[in-house]
Amino acid sequence: MSTVTSSGAADTGPSAVLHRDLKQEPFRIVSSSGFYIQFDDGRKILDATGGAAVSCIGHGDQRVIDAITAQAKTLDYCHSMFYSCPSAEDLCQQLIRSTNGQMAKAFIVCSGSEAMEAAMKLCRQYFLELPTPEPNRTHFIARRESYHGTTLGALSVGCHVGRRAVYEPILMQNISHVSPCNAYRNKLDDESTAEYVSRLAKELDDEFQRVGPQIVCAFIAEPVVGAALGCVPAVEGYFKAMKSVCDKYGALLVLDEVMCGIGRTGTMHAWEFEGVVPDIQTIGKGLGGGYAPIAGLLAGHRVIKTLENGSGRFSHGQTYQAHPISCAAAAEVQRIIQKEDLVHNASFMGKYLGSLLKEKLGHHRYVGDIRGRGLFWGIEFVKDKSSKAPFDPKLDIGMLVHQKGLGLSGNSGILLYPGNGTVDGKVGDHILIAPPYNVTMVDIDLIVDLTVMAIEAAFEDVADRLA
């Protein structure tokens, strides 16, 4: 494989990058524009997932490029321990306004994992700074089959079995997990939605009681579970019930919206769907749209007032916190989203995407469930629709669909996001579809057609092993 370097010379040697897979180098992307990415072998691929639900306004938007350039010329870096800068102030003002004042302050970092680490620290500090401090609050409750990041704290609070496995001996022990809200897999046939919610609320309440309610800092959950479960939204009433349990025991509610937030699920913040405002919220992928590494957290008034009345500071900081160029990029992305009413478009086009996926694939022999919200949809594959039995993990169906999508003939390939462990963290396969917010119906027609082709090609490839 060869590429052309920035100096114009061909790079034909082995990669010096420590790739995720040391035995097989990834395809190399040389350019991107709009909804498409181009490989060094000339193939042009429709990016139907924005990478990892990141590129929310598509690639190469000149307005964002100009904002980055202008910021780089004006101020490239400042240390947030001593200074602030206009781009950071602008971005954080936009973010707080976007919550209609429900949240009080924004804290900007470089990745979702860093945002979750900061959120966990902020939870701990909150309880230390109460008028009557509660230093025993050291425990976190989260949910199985969720993913909250790859650093040790974030990986500990998450429960993506495959990503945790190697590091189990060094993960935090002050964390426990309860069931996800996954109606397709876990809601009983004779159980109403209200009864299902009540059962999950009791499970959370029981977990508070088991570990000791006086030691729990927070309950952490994704409003719509992304990579780990394949776009599974909570059922109506779920988060109101979870918030009630947290309030009962004085614990904080932390919502991880790194993947599902900032417009992705058809509202600016995923919590708006049910109107349950978190104490702390993490944000990420759609924040900067992939133009710069950026993520953050939004802290509620309850938390901020406690710190203001206490030490008056947040005991946490990072070198590249609120980086001027990243903030300028994200601020421009957010202006574009608001100016072009792209959150509304994500909601409208999301309904069309969901209905078309169900129309084209709902009766497919190996499609068990199609679920999502806004422009965040998942397709779960099953060996048997009636029993919902998953495929043998050795088949790696999700990855196979992804590979077939990339390999479609001509320039008609599509990038889909594969996942596994959908059932219990070990078995189960799904793919994600998460196109930019500015898609049209024509774009969605093409995305669905290519997705169907990729799925059909994948199952044709393994037909002899499924017979």
Side-chain angles (χ1 to χ4, degrees):
M1 183 182 292
S2 65
T3 59
V4 177
T5 66
S6 58
S7 63
D11 173 14
T12 57
S15 175
V17 177
L18 178 56
H19 294 295
R20 297 191 187 198
D21 188 338
L22 292 177
K23 296 181 179 180
Q24 182 175 348
E25 290 187 18
F27 296 116
R28 298 190 187 184
I29 296 174
V30 295
S31 65
S32 61
S33 179
F35 301 164
Y36 287 85
I37 55 178
Q38 186 163 339
F39 295 134
D40 62 354
D41 61 6
R43 285 181 300 146
K44 196 175 181 181
I45 301 294
L46 175 59
D47 184 359
T49 65
V54 173
S55 300
C56 58
I57 62 169
H59 303 283
D61 191 299
Q62 191 61 46
R63 294 167 292 184
V64 185
I65 295 169
D66 290 344
I68 291 171
T69 303
Q71 182 61 56
K73 288 179 178 178
T74 304
L75 175 66
D76 55 351
Y77 171 73
C78 70
H79 192 347
S80 62
M81 178 181 289
F82 310 114
Y83 317 109
S84 183
C85 68
S87 62
E89 297 292 338
D90 175 20
L91 174 61
C92 292
Q93 287 285 355
Q94 287 193 61
L95 290 172
I96 295 306
R97 284 198 302 269
S98 75
T99 71
N100 293 317
Q102 299 273 26
M103 306 302 276
K105 299 285 185 181
F107 181 84
I108 304 301
V109 289
C110 302
S111 73
S113 297
E114 293 170 349
M116 182 52 66
E117 297 282 342
M120 295 171 71
K121 283 187 171 183
L122 187 55
C123 287
R124 169 64 176 165
Q125 189 176 342
Y126 166 80
F127 285 105
L128 292 178
E129 303 220 3
L130 288 171
T132 303
E134 299 182 38
N136 292 329
R137 298 266 190 176
T138 59
H139 192 90
F140 294 89
I141 301 175
R143 303 188 302 181
R144 293 189 295 275
E145 289 84 67
S146 271
Y147 178 67
H148 297 294
T150 194
T151 50
L152 288 178
L155 193 63
S156 298
V157 79
C159 198
H160 191 293
V161 175
R163 296 180 185 180
R164 286 172 57 103
V166 175
Y167 305 105
E168 286 285 356
I170 60 172
L171 295 183
M172 297 166 61
Q173 300 301 305
N174 57 321
I175 292 165
S176 57
H177 298 91
V178 294
S179 299
C181 184
N182 183 353
Y184 173 69
R185 282 283 167 190
N186 301 327
K187 182 174 172 290
L188 304 177
D189 292 339
D190 61 350
E191 193 174 38
S192 69
T193 297
E195 289 169 337
Y196 179 46
V197 168
S198 179
R199 176 159 61 88
L200 292 175
K202 184 180 185 304
E203 181 185 357
L204 180 60
D205 195 296
D206 289 346
E207 185 62 14
F208 268 88
Q209 290 293 332
R210 187 189 71 81
V211 301
Q214 72 283 354
I215 73 165
V216 178
C217 267
F219 173 60
I220 300 174
E222 298 171 84
V224 181
V225 183
L229 277 184
C231 303
V232 174
V235 300
E236 185 177 356
Y238 172 79
F239 278 105
K240 287 182 180 178
M242 300 304 110
K243 180 70 162 61
S244 179
V245 175
C246 291
D247 290 345
K248 176 180 176 181
Y249 296 112
L252 298 177
L253 174 64
V254 178
L255 294 185
D256 179 353
E257 297 201 7
V258 168
M259 201 171 202
C260 66
I262 309 293
R264 171 58 61 190
T265 51
T267 54
M268 184 61 182
H269 304 285
W271 52 258
E272 293 179 82
F273 185 81
E274 198 171 334
V276 176
V277 183
D279 295 295
I280 298 172
Q281 168 191 355
T282 58
I283 54 177
K285 300 176 186 297
L287 180 58
Y291 288 87
I294 190 166
L297 68 78
L298 304 180
H301 294 277
R302 168 188 179 185
V303 173
I304 295 302
K305 285 180 181 178
T306 298
L307 266 62
E308 287 176 341
N309 293 331
S311 67
R313 63 193 302 270
F314 179 26
S315 300
H316 178 66
Q318 297 177 222
T319 300
Y320 295 112
Q321 175 185 329
H323 191 279
I325 294 174
S326 293
C327 287
E332 185 62 25
V333 169
Q334 296 311 305
R335 273 190 287 272
I336 291 168
I337 289 173
Q338 183 169 353
K339 180 180 178 180
E340 299 184 1
D341 201 14
L342 295 185
V343 176
H344 177 265
N345 195 62
S347 176
F348 181 80
M349 290 298 167
K351 291 181 176 69
Y352 180 61
L353 173 58
S355 65
L356 198 57
L357 286 171
K358 291 175 181 178
E359 176 189 330
K360 301 279 188 177
L361 290 166
H363 299 291
H364 192 285
R365 178 179 178 182
Y366 298 121
V367 170
D369 192 33
I370 300 170
R371 66 291 185 109
R373 186 179 295 158
L375 288 171
F376 198 45
W377 284 84
I379 301 171
E380 181 173 345
F381 302 106
V382 293
K383 184 170 61 176
D384 180 79
K385 289 174 81 82
S386 60
S387 68
K388 303 179 185 178
F391 287 100
D392 184 333
K394 293 178 183 178
L395 293 174
D396 207 356
I397 294 295
M399 181 59 72
L400 182 59
V401 172
H402 160 75
Q403 292 169 343
K404 292 298 181 182
L406 292 180
L408 294 175
S409 61
N411 281 335
S412 62
I414 185 170
L415 176 60
L416 301 167
Y417 193 102
N420 53 30
T422 322
V423 177
D424 58 3
K426 299 177 182 178
V427 299
D429 301 275
H430 64 264
I431 57 168
L432 272 62
I433 301 172
Y437 304 168
N438 48 351
V439 288
T440 65
M441 294 179 79
V442 172
D443 298 322
I444 289 175
D445 288 341
L446 178 58
I447 288 170
V448 173
D449 285 345
L450 293 176
T451 299
V452 171
M453 290 172 62
I455 290 171
E456 290 178 344
F459 284 109
E460 182 179 340
D461 193 58
V462 296
D464 57 330
R465 284 176 280 177
L466 300 177

